[in-house]
Amino acid sequence: MDPHLLTTFVTVARHGSFSAAAAELGYTQSAISQQIAALEADLGLALLSRRPVEPTPAGRRLLEHAGPLLLRLRAARADVLRAAAVPRHRLRLAATPLAVNPVLALRLARARAEQPRLEVTLHTCGREEVGAMVAEGEADLGLADGIAAPSDPLRLPDAGPMTAAGVTEEELVVALDAGHPLAGRAALRLADLVDARWLQTPLCPLARLRDLMGDGFPVALDYQGDDVHTVVNLVAAGHGLTLLPASALPACGTAADRPVALGVPLAAPRLVHRVELLHGALPAGPAADLARALSG
Protein backbone atom coordinates (compact mmCIF):
# COMPACT_ATOMS: atom_id res chain seq x y z
CA MET A 1 0.00 0.00 0.00
CA ASP A 2 1.57 3.28 -1.17
CA PRO A 3 1.98 5.66 1.80
CA HIS A 4 1.52 8.67 -0.51
CA LEU A 5 -1.88 7.35 -1.59
CA LEU A 6 -2.76 6.61 2.02
CA THR A 7 -1.85 10.18 3.01
CA THR A 8 -4.10 11.51 0.26
CA PHE A 9 -6.98 9.30 1.42
CA VAL A 10 -6.64 10.45 5.05
CA THR A 11 -6.55 14.10 3.95
CA VAL A 12 -9.66 13.79 1.75
CA ALA A 13 -11.53 11.98 4.53
CA ARG A 14 -10.53 14.62 7.09
CA HIS A 15 -11.70 17.51 4.91
CA GLY A 16 -14.67 15.72 3.32
CA SER A 17 -13.57 17.41 0.11
CA PHE A 18 -11.32 16.57 -2.84
CA SER A 19 -10.66 20.24 -3.56
CA ALA A 20 -9.68 21.05 0.04
CA ALA A 21 -7.33 18.06 0.11
CA ALA A 22 -5.79 19.21 -3.18
CA ALA A 23 -5.18 22.69 -1.73
CA GLU A 24 -3.49 21.25 1.38
CA LEU A 25 -1.32 18.72 -0.46
CA GLY A 26 -0.43 20.92 -3.42
CA TYR A 27 -2.01 18.76 -6.13
CA THR A 28 -4.75 19.42 -8.65
CA GLN A 29 -8.20 18.08 -7.81
CA SER A 30 -7.88 15.70 -10.76
CA ALA A 31 -4.63 14.29 -9.37
CA ILE A 32 -6.29 13.73 -5.98
CA SER A 33 -9.15 11.85 -7.66
CA GLN A 34 -6.66 9.69 -9.56
CA GLN A 35 -4.75 8.86 -6.37
CA ILE A 36 -7.93 7.81 -4.55
CA ALA A 37 -8.95 5.71 -7.55
CA ALA A 38 -5.52 4.04 -7.56
CA LEU A 39 -5.80 3.17 -3.86
CA GLU A 40 -9.32 1.80 -4.34
CA ALA A 41 -8.12 -0.28 -7.30
CA ASP A 42 -5.24 -1.65 -5.20
CA LEU A 43 -7.63 -2.80 -2.48
CA GLY A 44 -10.50 -3.69 -4.78
CA LEU A 45 -12.92 -1.71 -2.59
CA ALA A 46 -14.66 1.64 -2.66
CA LEU A 47 -13.21 3.77 0.16
CA LEU A 48 -15.07 7.05 -0.32
CA SER A 49 -18.59 7.88 -1.39
CA ARG A 50 -18.64 10.95 -3.65
CA ARG A 51 -21.82 12.85 -2.77
CA PRO A 52 -21.25 13.64 0.02
CA VAL A 53 -17.53 12.83 0.26
CA GLU A 54 -17.26 10.50 3.27
CA PRO A 55 -15.67 7.14 4.05
CA THR A 56 -17.48 3.93 3.21
CA PRO A 57 -17.47 1.16 5.86
CA ALA A 58 -14.24 -0.14 4.31
CA GLY A 59 -12.84 3.40 4.30
CA ARG A 60 -13.64 3.85 7.99
CA ARG A 61 -11.80 0.64 8.79
CA LEU A 62 -8.79 1.78 6.75
CA LEU A 63 -8.75 5.09 8.63
CA GLU A 64 -8.34 3.18 11.90
CA HIS A 65 -5.07 1.76 10.54
CA ALA A 66 -3.89 4.73 8.49
CA GLY A 67 -2.96 7.10 11.33
CA PRO A 68 -0.71 4.63 13.20
CA LEU A 69 0.82 3.36 9.93
CA LEU A 70 1.75 6.82 8.70
CA LEU A 71 3.04 7.80 12.13
CA ARG A 72 5.31 4.75 12.25
CA LEU A 73 6.69 5.59 8.80
CA ARG A 74 7.45 9.17 9.89
CA ALA A 75 8.94 7.83 13.12
CA ALA A 76 11.22 5.44 11.22
CA ARG A 77 12.48 8.27 9.05
CA ALA A 78 13.09 10.50 12.07
CA ASP A 79 14.87 7.72 13.96
CA VAL A 80 17.30 7.08 11.10
CA LEU A 81 18.01 10.81 10.69
CA ARG A 82 18.39 11.28 14.44
CA ALA A 83 21.03 8.54 14.66
CA ALA A 84 23.15 10.32 12.05
CA ALA A 85 22.49 13.88 13.22
CA VAL A 86 25.17 16.23 14.50
CA PRO A 87 24.50 17.08 18.19
CA ARG A 88 22.71 20.42 18.56
CA HIS A 89 22.52 22.85 21.47
CA ARG A 90 19.08 24.13 20.43
CA LEU A 91 16.57 21.58 21.66
CA ARG A 92 12.79 21.30 21.67
CA LEU A 93 11.01 19.81 24.66
CA ALA A 94 7.36 18.73 24.24
CA ALA A 95 5.34 18.38 27.45
CA THR A 96 1.79 17.86 28.61
CA PRO A 97 0.40 20.79 30.65
CA LEU A 98 0.96 19.19 34.09
CA ALA A 99 4.25 17.46 33.28
CA VAL A 100 6.67 20.27 34.11
CA ASN A 101 6.19 20.21 37.87
CA PRO A 102 8.43 22.15 40.30
CA VAL A 103 10.93 19.28 40.53
CA LEU A 104 11.39 19.03 36.77
CA ALA A 105 11.45 22.81 36.34
CA LEU A 106 14.35 22.89 38.81
CA ARG A 107 16.16 20.05 37.03
CA LEU A 108 15.77 21.92 33.74
CA ALA A 109 17.18 25.08 35.32
CA ARG A 110 20.22 23.17 36.60
CA ALA A 111 20.79 21.58 33.20
CA ARG A 112 20.74 25.00 31.54
CA ALA A 113 23.16 26.36 34.14
CA GLU A 114 25.55 23.47 33.46
CA GLN A 115 25.25 23.90 29.68
CA PRO A 116 25.47 27.67 29.01
CA ARG A 117 25.07 27.16 25.25
CA LEU A 118 21.89 25.12 25.67
CA GLU A 119 18.71 26.68 24.22
CA VAL A 120 15.42 24.97 25.05
CA THR A 121 12.04 25.64 23.49
CA LEU A 122 9.17 24.22 25.57
CA HIS A 123 6.00 23.24 23.68
CA THR A 124 2.92 22.12 25.62
CA CYS A 125 0.40 19.80 23.99
CA GLY A 126 -1.71 16.70 24.57
CA ARG A 127 -0.30 13.31 25.49
CA GLU A 128 -0.76 11.80 22.02
CA GLU A 129 0.92 14.80 20.39
CA VAL A 130 3.90 14.57 22.76
CA GLY A 131 4.60 11.01 21.67
CA ALA A 132 4.06 11.82 18.00
CA MET A 133 6.37 14.86 18.14
CA VAL A 134 9.16 12.81 19.71
CA ALA A 135 8.63 9.90 17.32
CA GLU A 136 8.66 12.15 14.26
CA GLY A 137 11.70 14.14 15.39
CA GLU A 138 9.76 17.38 15.90
CA ALA A 139 10.81 17.30 19.57
CA ASP A 140 14.08 16.00 20.97
CA LEU A 141 12.53 14.96 24.28
CA GLY A 142 9.03 14.64 25.67
CA LEU A 143 7.44 14.73 29.11
CA ALA A 144 4.04 13.09 29.54
CA ASP A 145 1.99 12.89 32.73
CA GLY A 146 -0.91 10.83 33.98
CA ILE A 147 -2.54 8.96 36.85
CA ALA A 148 -1.01 5.60 37.73
CA ALA A 149 -0.41 3.19 40.57
CA PRO A 150 2.98 3.77 42.25
CA SER A 151 5.86 2.64 39.99
CA ASP A 152 3.45 1.54 37.24
CA PRO A 153 4.15 2.91 33.73
CA LEU A 154 1.67 5.21 32.03
CA ARG A 155 -0.58 3.84 29.31
CA LEU A 156 0.79 5.98 26.49
CA PRO A 157 -0.34 5.77 22.85
CA ASP A 158 1.94 3.71 20.62
CA ALA A 159 3.95 6.18 18.58
CA GLY A 160 6.78 3.91 17.50
CA PRO A 161 9.94 2.69 19.19
CA MET A 162 11.10 5.04 21.94
CA THR A 163 12.25 4.98 25.52
CA ALA A 164 9.76 5.93 28.24
CA ALA A 165 11.01 6.15 31.83
CA GLY A 166 9.45 7.55 34.97
CA VAL A 167 11.14 10.70 36.26
CA THR A 168 8.80 11.89 39.05
CA GLU A 169 5.87 10.62 41.09
CA GLU A 170 3.80 12.95 43.23
CA GLU A 171 0.85 12.75 45.59
CA LEU A 172 -2.61 13.25 44.07
CA VAL A 173 -5.18 15.41 45.83
CA VAL A 174 -8.90 15.86 45.39
CA ALA A 175 -9.30 19.51 44.38
CA LEU A 176 -12.50 21.11 45.70
CA ASP A 177 -13.80 24.49 46.71
CA ALA A 178 -13.19 25.76 50.25
CA GLY A 179 -16.91 25.69 51.03
CA HIS A 180 -17.42 22.06 49.99
CA PRO A 181 -18.77 19.78 52.77
CA LEU A 182 -15.71 17.51 52.35
CA ALA A 183 -13.13 20.29 52.43
CA GLY A 184 -12.30 19.67 56.09
CA ARG A 185 -11.48 15.98 55.70
CA ALA A 186 -7.93 14.79 56.37
CA ALA A 187 -8.15 12.43 53.36
CA LEU A 188 -10.74 11.14 50.88
CA ARG A 189 -11.42 7.83 49.17
CA LEU A 190 -12.34 7.78 45.49
CA ALA A 191 -15.08 5.25 46.22
CA ASP A 192 -16.85 7.87 48.35
CA LEU A 193 -16.83 10.38 45.48
CA VAL A 194 -18.41 8.41 42.62
CA ASP A 195 -21.67 10.36 43.01
CA ALA A 196 -20.05 13.78 43.51
CA ARG A 197 -20.20 16.46 40.82
CA TRP A 198 -16.97 16.36 38.79
CA LEU A 199 -15.20 18.70 36.42
CA GLN A 200 -14.52 16.97 33.11
CA THR A 201 -11.12 18.08 31.83
CA PRO A 202 -8.30 16.58 29.73
CA LEU A 203 -6.03 17.10 32.76
CA CYS A 204 -8.02 14.42 34.61
CA PRO A 205 -10.22 12.45 32.19
CA LEU A 206 -13.18 10.94 34.02
CA ALA A 207 -12.91 7.88 31.77
CA ARG A 208 -9.70 7.03 33.64
CA LEU A 209 -11.52 7.17 37.00
CA ARG A 210 -14.36 5.03 35.64
CA ASP A 211 -11.78 2.48 34.47
CA LEU A 212 -10.63 2.25 38.08
CA MET A 213 -13.95 2.42 39.91
CA GLY A 214 -16.71 1.57 37.43
CA ASP A 215 -19.70 3.78 36.69
CA GLY A 216 -20.26 7.13 38.33
CA PHE A 217 -18.42 10.46 38.39
CA PRO A 218 -21.20 12.62 36.85
CA VAL A 219 -20.05 15.64 34.88
CA ALA A 220 -20.97 19.00 36.40
CA LEU A 221 -19.03 21.03 33.80
CA ASP A 222 -17.14 19.95 30.68
CA TYR A 223 -13.98 22.04 30.19
CA GLN A 224 -12.13 21.14 26.99
CA GLY A 225 -9.07 23.31 27.58
CA ASP A 226 -5.88 22.36 29.39
CA ASP A 227 -5.00 25.55 31.25
CA VAL A 228 -4.24 24.59 34.85
CA HIS A 229 -5.06 28.06 36.20
CA THR A 230 -8.52 27.88 34.62
CA VAL A 231 -9.17 24.44 36.09
CA VAL A 232 -8.19 25.63 39.59
CA ASN A 233 -10.46 28.68 39.24
CA LEU A 234 -13.40 26.52 38.11
CA VAL A 235 -12.89 24.17 41.05
CA ALA A 236 -12.60 27.12 43.47
CA ALA A 237 -15.91 28.53 42.20
CA GLY A 238 -17.69 25.22 42.88
CA HIS A 239 -18.06 23.90 39.33
CA GLY A 240 -16.92 20.41 40.32
CA LEU A 241 -14.16 18.24 41.75
CA THR A 242 -11.06 16.99 40.01
CA LEU A 243 -7.80 15.21 40.77
CA LEU A 244 -4.58 17.19 40.55
CA PRO A 245 -0.99 16.73 41.63
CA ALA A 246 -0.48 18.49 44.95
CA SER A 247 1.97 20.97 43.43
CA ALA A 248 -0.63 22.22 40.92
CA LEU A 249 -2.67 23.90 43.63
CA PRO A 250 -1.41 27.29 44.82
CA ALA A 251 -0.71 27.83 48.48
CA CYS A 252 -4.06 28.75 50.01
CA GLY A 253 -4.47 31.25 52.77
CA THR A 254 -7.53 33.22 53.69
CA ALA A 255 -9.12 34.93 50.71
CA ALA A 256 -12.40 36.58 51.63
CA ASP A 257 -12.60 38.45 48.33
CA ARG A 258 -12.22 35.46 46.00
CA PRO A 259 -12.98 31.72 45.89
CA VAL A 260 -10.24 29.32 46.95
CA ALA A 261 -9.47 25.76 45.82
CA LEU A 262 -8.24 23.26 48.39
CA GLY A 263 -6.52 19.92 47.95
CA VAL A 264 -7.45 16.95 50.15
CA PRO A 265 -5.08 13.94 49.92
CA LEU A 266 -6.42 10.88 48.11
CA ALA A 267 -6.26 7.96 50.55
CA ALA A 268 -7.54 5.12 48.35
CA PRO A 269 -6.92 3.67 45.90
CA ARG A 270 -3.18 4.31 46.07
CA LEU A 271 -2.56 6.46 43.02
CA VAL A 272 0.12 8.96 42.06
CA HIS A 273 0.67 11.64 39.47
CA ARG A 274 3.46 10.18 37.31
CA VAL A 275 5.63 11.96 34.74
CA GLU A 276 7.60 10.01 32.14
CA LEU A 277 10.44 11.15 29.92
CA LEU A 278 10.13 10.09 26.26
CA HIS A 279 12.93 10.00 23.71
CA GLY A 280 14.30 8.10 20.78
CA ALA A 281 17.90 7.04 20.31
CA LEU A 282 20.10 9.78 21.79
CA PRO A 283 23.74 9.92 20.69
CA ALA A 284 26.16 11.58 23.10
CA GLY A 285 25.56 15.32 23.21
CA PRO A 286 23.26 18.01 24.63
CA ALA A 287 20.02 16.03 24.20
CA ALA A 288 21.43 13.01 26.03
CA ASP A 289 22.81 15.29 28.76
CA LEU A 290 19.42 16.96 29.18
CA ALA A 291 17.69 13.56 29.37
CA ARG A 292 20.01 12.53 32.20
CA ALA A 293 19.43 15.82 34.01
CA LEU A 294 15.64 15.50 33.80
CA SER A 295 15.86 11.92 35.03
CA GLY A 296 17.44 13.18 38.24
Side-chain angles (χ1 to χ4, degrees):
M1 190 179 302
D2 189 327
H4 295 292
L5 301 183
L6 196 57
T7 298
T8 299
F9 167 68
V10 170
T11 307
V12 173
R14 172 161 48 84
H15 285 291
S17 165
F18 282 74
S19 58
E24 178 178 325
L25 298 175
Y27 294 113
T28 64
Q29 184 171 336
S30 175
I32 293 292
S33 297
Q34 291 173 14
Q35 291 177 38
I36 295 299
L39 182 60
E40 291 177 325
D42 179 32
L43 293 173
L45 293 166
L47 300 173
L48 291 167
S49 60
R50 281 4 186 219
R51 290 196 179 99
V53 177
E54 60 184 17
T56 63
R60 288 194 295 272
R61 182 59 62 88
L62 181 58
L63 282 173
E64 294 175 7
H65 296 281
L69 284 171
L70 293 173
L71 175 58
R72 291 299 290 266
L73 286 171
R74 294 192 298 268
R77 173 183 172 84
D79 195 46
V80 171
L81 294 176
R82 187 163 42 225
V86 176
R88 298 176 292 108
H89 287 85
R90 181 174 295 173
L91 304 178
R92 191 173 199 194
L93 176 62
T96 49
L98 286 172
V100 184
N101 56 40
V103 171
L104 289 171
L106 183 58
R107 290 178 187 175
L108 178 59
R110 289 173 177 166
R112 296 180 64 204
E114 293 170 0
Q115 301 183 63
R117 294 176 56 198
L118 184 63
E119 297 180 26
V120 178
T121 298
L122 177 62
H123 177 84
T124 57
C125 53
R127 186 185 297 177
E128 291 191 10
E129 191 178 351
V130 168
M133 288 183 68
V134 173
E136 296 175 27
E138 294 183 19
D140 301 279
L141 305 169
L143 290 169
D145 77 285
I147 297 171
S151 301
D152 276 2
L154 297 178
R155 299 184 297 179
L156 297 174
D158 181 14
M162 69 175 69
T163 298
V167 289
T168 65
E169 287 187 356
E170 182 182 357
E171 178 186 42
L172 278 168
V173 297
V174 181
L176 37 67
D177 64 279
H180 196 283
L182 300 175
R185 296 283 187 91
L188 290 168
R189 299 186 310 160
L190 205 54
D192 296 331
L193 301 172
V194 293
D195 295 323
R197 298 168 66 251
W198 284 80
L199 185 66
Q200 169 75 312
T201 164
L203 300 183
C204 177
L206 296 185
R208 178 72 176 106
L209 304 187
R210 295 182 184 118
D211 285 345
L212 294 165
M213 307 300 298
D215 294 335
F217 305 98
V219 177
L221 178 68
D222 188 0
Y223 170 58
Q224 292 300 311
D226 56 15
D227 180 73
V228 182
H229 185 66
T230 299
V231 169
V232 172
N233 284 340
L234 290 171
V235 169
H239 290 286
L241 312 183
T242 192
L243 292 184
L244 290 173
S247 63
L249 285 173
C252 296
T254 58
D257 61 335
R258 60 181 174 84
V260 172
L262 301 178
V264 179
L266 182 66
R270 183 75 177 96
L271 298 171
V272 295
H273 177 257
R274 179 178 172 90
V275 180
E276 293 186 359
L277 177 68
L278 313 179
H279 60 80
L282 293 177
D289 293 341
L290 180 57
R292 282 192 292 272
L294 292 174
S295 298

